[in-house]
Amino acid sequence: MLSPLGLVFYDKRALGLEPLNRSEADSSSPWWRSAVMYQIYPRSFADGDLDGIGDLDGIRSRLGYVAQLGVDAIWLSPIYRSPMADFGYDVSDHTAVDSIFGDLRSFDRLLSEAHRQGLRVLLDWVPNHTSSQHPWFLDSRSSLSSPKREWYIWRDGHGDEPPNNWRSAFGGPAWTRDEATSQWFLHLFLREQPDLNWGNAEVVAAMHDVLRFWLDRGVDGFRADVVHLIGRDQLLPNQPEQRAHLDIVGSHDHPRTHVLLRGIRSVLEEYGGDRVMVGEVTLERPELLAPYYGLDDELHMVFNFGLMHVPWSAEAFGRVLDDAERALPEPGHWPCWVLSNHDQPRHRSRFSGSESRARAAALLLLSLRGTPCLYAGEELGLLDAAIPAASRVDPGGRDGSRAPIPWEATAGHGWPARPWLPLPPDPERWNAETEAADPDSTLALYKRLLALRRMAPALRLGSFQRLGSPPDTLLYERSWGADVRRVAVSFSDQLVMEVSAADGWRIEVATTSGREGLLWDGALAPSEAVILSRS
Ligand code: NOJ
């Protein structure tokens, strides 16, 4: 296959999934370190059965697009059977595909086609809670003496008051009183998502078996949903008064989780050592994330959401990068960077809708040390959809970033039936077909960035060093032996910034048009970012 840079990148990735161009750099390091992941929100990717909701056959029909983009692995948000109170994060059968998305056969077809096209596949695994419709919970709530009673967290209340002061992430108390037994069950999310009790050995074994079910089918790994919540202090102490108004999802950090993660990791290790688990740990500071890597015996990677929570400013971005370098050092701590996902507004929307800023942020993301995780549609520069009140469906108000992907320029935009949510703004302009034909499009930029990352070990695996640069700019160097790249990013919307002396660097990728291949003059246009190599 010819890359946009004219280089042969890989031949038979299908045979062993190893790109041939990757040097010894990669042979000494696990595949996921050199990978770029791509999150697919299945309801909104592509519709194969014409019901307006995306599904597995739809995803399969678009795998060529994903492979040509140049990513290495897809992560599917939950596809399991679910009443969809939290759009799949409420699982009622961990080993069945919801009929909205297809069935196990369509999953197997998707998996084998993805592998044939050189793409690994990660599933979302939701260990902290199930649906209240899961047979385990129906059994558990049926009586105090149910054999599954201890699979969930039941407590007596204090009269009409819940057992403790914990709040649910969706608002209100994290406890619901159940009429059948007058006890309360814990749910850190919706009441339709009761928390599992990982203090119970049968739960641990059952959830390990869920992993084995999918590993046996051939999946390459998992994204583990809020996995830091599973280890608990069995006494469930109150939150301190000053935090009592906050849910504990952003602060819960108990040593028992690490014991459980080691058990989970050992299940993955049963499969030859190349299956990966990326954990969602929503603790605020990277030094709190570091312990979740264990001694290379817990999570392989932990998402770093720092860039999702900062404004468009060099100072704020620089702080996130510096904090990560300090808190997640080599060896053993490989960051996993994210700019957008299904829980937050898309980054272009966050950055005031600016296309230039979104492009510069993409260049930065794809030139960091760590595995980048893209959210489907960001490569098209999509904005969040405006969702009229009557069309809102998510209890967490996150519909805007979950809008369907516009594939084509013409009416319908690749959605054969009216899609379940409105499309993002201006789909005639912002769609895969139009952008594929435009060398200056955001899609073309992502392809160039991904191709360069594949080619340059410095960008995939090299060290990261911040270099001095004027206010409103960032400058850093990535190097792997003799392979060196520099990255310069301007956060100024108005001024041309003199970043460094022009001393023998050539522009390899630029977010503005007409500059690639030129010697760098040391200056950046407003909100421009460049990757440089020695001329
Ligand atoms: C985190 C997921 O990303 C989010 O979408 C979900 O609502 C919660 N976990 C609960 O599963």
Coordinates of all heavy atoms in Angstrom, one line a residue, residues 435-483:
E435 N -14.1 15.9 2.0 CA -12.7 16.2 2.6 C -11.7 15.2 1.9 O -10.5 15.6 1.8 CB -12.7 16.0 4.1 CG -13.6 17.1 4.7 CD -13.3 17.2 6.2 OE1 -12.2 17.1 6.7 OE2 -14.3 17.5 6.9
A436 N -12.1 14.0 1.5 CA -11.2 13.1 0.9 C -10.7 13.7 -0.4 O -9.6 13.4 -0.9 CB -11.9 11.8 0.7
A437 N -11.5 14.6 -1.1 CA -11.1 15.1 -2.3 C -10.3 16.4 -2.2 O -9.9 17.0 -3.2 CB -12.4 15.3 -3.2
D438 N -10.1 16.9 -1.0 CA -9.5 18.2 -0.8 C -8.1 18.1 0.0 O -8.1 17.7 1.1 CB -10.5 19.1 0.0 CG -9.8 20.4 0.4 OD1 -8.7 20.7 0.0 OD2 -10.5 21.1 1.2
P439 N -7.0 18.3 -0.7 CA -5.7 18.1 -0.1 C -5.5 19.0 1.1 O -4.6 18.8 1.9 CB -4.7 18.4 -1.2 CG -5.4 19.1 -2.2 CD -6.9 18.8 -2.1
D440 N -6.3 20.1 1.2 CA -6.1 21.0 2.4 C -7.1 20.7 3.5 O -7.1 21.4 4.5 CB -6.3 22.4 1.9 CG -5.1 22.9 1.1 OD1 -4.0 22.4 1.3 OD2 -5.3 23.8 0.3
S441 N -7.9 19.6 3.4 CA -8.9 19.4 4.4 C -8.3 18.9 5.7 O -7.1 18.5 5.8 CB -9.9 18.3 3.9 OG -9.2 17.1 3.8
T442 N -9.1 18.9 6.7 CA -8.7 18.4 8.0 C -8.4 16.9 7.9 O -7.5 16.4 8.5 CB -9.7 18.7 9.1 OG1 -9.8 20.1 9.2 CG2 -9.4 18.1 10.4
L443 N -9.2 16.2 7.1 CA -9.0 14.8 6.9 C -7.6 14.5 6.3 O -6.9 13.6 6.7 CB -10.1 14.2 6.0 CG -10.0 12.7 5.6 CD1 -10.0 11.8 6.9 CD2 -11.1 12.3 4.7
A444 N -7.3 15.3 5.3 CA -6.0 15.1 4.6 C -4.9 15.4 5.6 O -3.8 14.8 5.6 CB -5.9 16.1 3.4
L445 N -5.1 16.4 6.5 CA -4.0 16.7 7.5 C -3.8 15.5 8.4 O -2.7 15.1 8.7 CB -4.4 18.0 8.3 CG -3.6 18.2 9.5 CD1 -2.2 18.7 9.1 CD2 -4.2 19.3 10.4
Y446 N -4.9 15.0 8.9 CA -4.8 13.8 9.8 C -4.1 12.6 9.1 O -3.2 12.0 9.7 CB -6.2 13.3 10.3 CG -6.6 13.9 11.6 CD1 -7.2 15.2 11.6 CD2 -6.6 13.2 12.8 CE1 -7.6 15.8 12.8 CE2 -7.0 13.8 14.0 CZ -7.6 15.1 14.0 OH -8.0 15.7 15.1
K447 N -4.4 12.4 7.8 CA -3.7 11.3 7.1 C -2.2 11.6 7.0 O -1.4 10.7 7.1 CB -4.3 11.2 5.7 CG -5.7 10.5 5.7 CD -6.1 10.3 4.2 CE -7.4 9.6 4.2 NZ -8.0 9.4 2.9
R448 N -1.8 12.9 6.7 CA -0.4 13.2 6.6 C 0.3 13.0 8.0 O 1.4 12.4 8.1 CB -0.2 14.6 6.1 CG -0.6 14.8 4.7 CD 0.0 16.1 4.1 NE -0.3 17.3 4.8 CZ -1.4 18.0 4.7 NH1 -2.4 17.6 3.9 NH2 -1.6 19.1 5.4
L449 N -0.4 13.4 9.0 CA 0.2 13.3 10.4 C 0.3 11.8 10.8 O 1.3 11.4 11.3 CB -0.7 13.9 11.4 CG -0.7 15.5 11.4 CD1 -1.9 16.1 12.2 CD2 0.6 16.0 11.9
L450 N -0.7 11.0 10.5 CA -0.7 9.6 10.8 C 0.4 8.9 10.0 O 1.1 8.0 10.5 CB -2.0 9.0 10.6 CG -3.0 9.4 11.7 CD1 -4.5 9.2 11.2 CD2 -2.8 8.6 13.0
A451 N 0.5 9.2 8.7 CA 1.6 8.6 7.9 C 2.9 9.0 8.4 O 3.8 8.1 8.4 CB 1.4 9.1 6.4
L452 N 3.1 10.2 8.8 CA 4.5 10.6 9.3 C 4.8 9.9 10.6 O 5.9 9.4 10.8 CB 4.5 12.1 9.5 CG 5.9 12.6 10.0 CD1 7.0 12.2 9.1 CD2 5.8 14.1 10.2
R453 N 3.8 9.8 11.4 CA 4.0 9.1 12.7 C 4.4 7.6 12.5 O 5.3 7.1 13.2 CB 2.7 9.2 13.6 CG 3.0 8.8 15.0 CD 1.8 9.0 15.9 NE 2.0 8.4 17.2 CZ 2.3 9.0 18.3 NH1 2.5 10.3 18.3 NH2 2.5 8.3 19.4
R454 N 3.8 7.0 11.5 CA 4.1 5.6 11.1 C 5.6 5.5 10.7 O 6.2 4.5 10.9 CB 3.3 5.1 10.0 CG 1.9 4.6 10.5 CD 1.5 3.5 9.6 NE 0.4 2.9 10.3 CZ -0.7 2.5 9.8 NH1 -0.9 2.6 8.5 NH2 -1.7 1.9 10.5
M455 N 6.0 6.6 10.0 CA 7.3 6.5 9.4 C 8.5 6.9 10.3 O 9.6 6.4 10.2 CB 7.4 7.4 8.2 CG 8.5 7.2 7.2 SD 8.5 8.6 6.0 CE 9.0 9.9 7.0
A456 N 8.2 7.7 11.3 CA 9.2 8.3 12.1 C 9.2 7.7 13.5 O 8.4 8.0 14.3 CB 9.0 9.8 12.2
P457 N 10.2 6.9 13.9 CA 10.3 6.3 15.2 C 10.4 7.4 16.3 O 9.8 7.2 17.4 CB 11.6 5.4 15.2 CG 12.1 5.5 13.9 CD 11.3 6.4 13.0
A458 N 10.9 8.5 15.9 CA 11.0 9.6 16.9 C 9.6 10.0 17.4 O 9.4 10.2 18.6 CB 11.7 10.8 16.4
L459 N 8.7 10.0 16.5 CA 7.3 10.4 16.8 C 6.6 9.3 17.5 O 5.7 9.5 18.4 CB 6.5 10.9 15.6 CG 7.0 12.2 15.0 CD1 6.3 12.5 13.7 CD2 6.9 13.4 15.9
R460 N 6.8 8.1 17.1 CA 6.1 7.0 17.7 C 6.6 6.7 19.1 O 5.8 6.5 20.1 CB 6.2 5.7 16.9 CG 5.4 5.6 15.7 CD 5.3 4.2 15.2 NE 6.6 3.5 15.0 CZ 7.4 3.7 14.0 NH1 7.2 4.6 13.1 NH2 8.6 3.0 14.0
L461 N 7.9 6.6 19.2 CA 8.5 6.0 20.5 C 9.5 6.9 21.1 O 10.0 6.5 22.2 CB 9.1 4.6 20.1 CG 8.1 3.6 19.7 CD1 8.8 2.4 19.0 CD2 7.3 3.1 20.9
G462 N 9.9 8.0 20.5 CA 11.0 8.7 21.0 C 10.8 9.5 22.3 O 9.7 9.6 22.8
S463 N 11.9 10.0 22.8 CA 11.8 10.8 24.0 C 11.2 12.1 23.7 O 11.0 12.5 22.6 CB 13.2 11.0 24.6 OG 13.9 11.8 23.6
F464 N 10.7 12.8 24.8 CA 10.0 14.1 24.6 C 10.8 15.1 25.5 O 11.1 14.9 26.6 CB 8.6 13.9 25.2 CG 7.8 15.2 25.2 CD1 7.0 15.6 24.2 CD2 7.9 16.1 26.3 CE1 6.2 16.7 24.3 CE2 7.2 17.2 26.4 CZ 6.3 17.6 25.4
Q465 N 11.1 16.2 24.8 CA 11.8 17.3 25.6 C 11.2 18.7 25.2 O 11.2 19.0 24.0 CB 13.3 17.3 25.3 CG 14.0 18.1 26.4 CD 15.4 18.3 26.0 OE1 15.9 17.8 25.0 NE2 16.1 19.1 26.8
R466 N 10.7 19.4 26.2 CA 10.3 20.8 26.0 C 11.5 21.7 25.7 O 12.5 21.6 26.4 CB 9.5 21.3 27.2 CG 8.1 20.9 27.3 CD 7.1 21.7 26.4 NE 7.1 23.1 26.8 CZ 6.4 23.6 27.8 NH1 5.7 22.8 28.6 NH2 6.4 24.9 28.2
L467 N 11.4 22.6 24.7 CA 12.4 23.5 24.5 C 11.8 24.9 24.8 O 10.6 25.1 24.6 CB 12.9 23.4 23.0 CG 13.4 22.1 22.6 CD1 13.7 22.1 21.1 CD2 14.6 21.6 23.4
G468 N 12.7 25.9 25.1 CA 12.2 27.2 25.4 C 11.6 27.8 24.1 O 12.1 27.6 23.0
S469 N 10.5 28.6 24.3 CA 9.9 29.3 23.2 C 9.1 30.5 23.8 O 8.8 30.5 25.0 CB 9.0 28.4 22.4 OG 7.8 28.0 23.1
P470 N 8.8 31.5 22.9 CA 8.1 32.7 23.4 C 6.7 32.3 24.0 O 6.1 31.3 23.7 CB 8.0 33.6 22.2 CG 8.8 33.0 21.2 CD 9.1 31.6 21.5
P471 N 6.2 33.3 24.8 CA 4.8 33.1 25.3 C 3.8 32.8 24.1 O 4.1 33.3 23.0 CB 4.5 34.4 26.0 CG 5.8 35.1 26.3 CD 6.8 34.5 25.3
D472 N 2.8 32.1 24.4 CA 1.8 31.8 23.4 C 2.3 30.7 22.4 O 1.6 30.6 21.3 CB 1.3 33.0 22.6 CG 0.2 33.8 23.3 OD1 -0.3 33.2 24.3 OD2 -0.1 34.9 22.9
T473 N 3.4 30.1 22.6 CA 3.9 29.1 21.7 C 4.4 27.9 22.6 O 4.7 28.1 23.7 CB 5.0 29.5 20.8 OG1 6.2 29.8 21.6 CG2 4.6 30.8 20.0
L474 N 4.4 26.7 21.9 CA 5.1 25.6 22.5 C 6.1 25.1 21.5 O 5.8 25.1 20.3 CB 4.2 24.5 22.9 CG 3.2 24.7 24.0 CD1 2.3 23.4 24.2 CD2 3.9 25.0 25.3
L475 N 7.2 24.6 22.0 CA 8.2 24.0 21.1 C 8.8 22.7 21.8 O 9.1 22.8 23.0 CB 9.4 25.0 20.9 CG 10.5 24.5 19.9 CD1 10.0 24.3 18.5 CD2 11.6 25.6 20.0
Y476 N 8.8 21.6 21.1 CA 9.4 20.4 21.8 C 10.1 19.5 20.8 O 9.8 19.7 19.6 CB 8.3 19.6 22.6 CG 7.0 19.3 22.0 CD1 6.9 18.1 21.2 CD2 5.9 20.1 22.1 CE1 5.7 17.8 20.6 CE2 4.7 19.7 21.5 CZ 4.6 18.6 20.8 OH 3.4 18.2 20.2
E477 N 10.9 18.7 21.3 CA 11.7 17.8 20.5 C 11.4 16.3 20.8 O 11.3 16.0 22.0 CB 13.2 18.1 20.7 CG 14.1 17.3 19.7 CD 15.5 17.9 19.7 OE1 15.7 19.0 19.1 OE2 16.4 17.3 20.3
R478 N 11.3 15.5 19.8 CA 11.1 14.1 19.9 C 12.3 13.5 19.3 O 12.7 13.8 18.2 CB 9.8 13.6 19.2 CG 8.5 14.3 19.7 CD 8.0 13.9 21.0 NE 8.2 12.4 21.3 CZ 7.3 11.5 20.9 NH1 6.3 11.8 20.2 NH2 7.6 10.2 21.2
S479 N 13.0 12.5 20.0 CA 14.1 11.9 19.3 C 14.2 10.4 19.7 O 13.9 10.0 20.8 CB 15.4 12.6 19.6 OG 15.6 12.7 21.0
W480 N 14.7 9.7 18.7 CA 14.9 8.3 18.8 C 16.2 8.0 18.0 O 16.2 8.0 16.8 CB 13.8 7.5 18.2 CG 14.0 6.0 18.3 CD1 14.6 5.2 17.4 CD2 13.6 5.1 19.4 NE1 14.6 3.9 17.8 CE2 14.0 3.8 19.0 CE3 13.0 5.3 20.6 CZ2 13.8 2.7 19.9 CZ3 12.7 4.3 21.4 CH2 13.2 3.0 21.1
G481 N 17.3 7.9 18.8 CA 18.6 7.8 18.1 C 18.8 9.0 17.2 O 18.6 10.1 17.6
A482 N 19.2 8.7 16.0 CA 19.4 9.8 15.0 C 18.2 10.4 14.5 O 18.2 11.4 13.8 CB 20.3 9.2 13.9
D483 N 17.1 9.8 14.7 CA 15.8 10.3 14.2 C 15.3 11.4 15.2 O 15.0 11.1 16.3 CB 14.8 9.2 14.1 CG 13.5 9.6 13.3 OD1 13.7 10.5 12.4 OD2 12.4 9.2 13.7

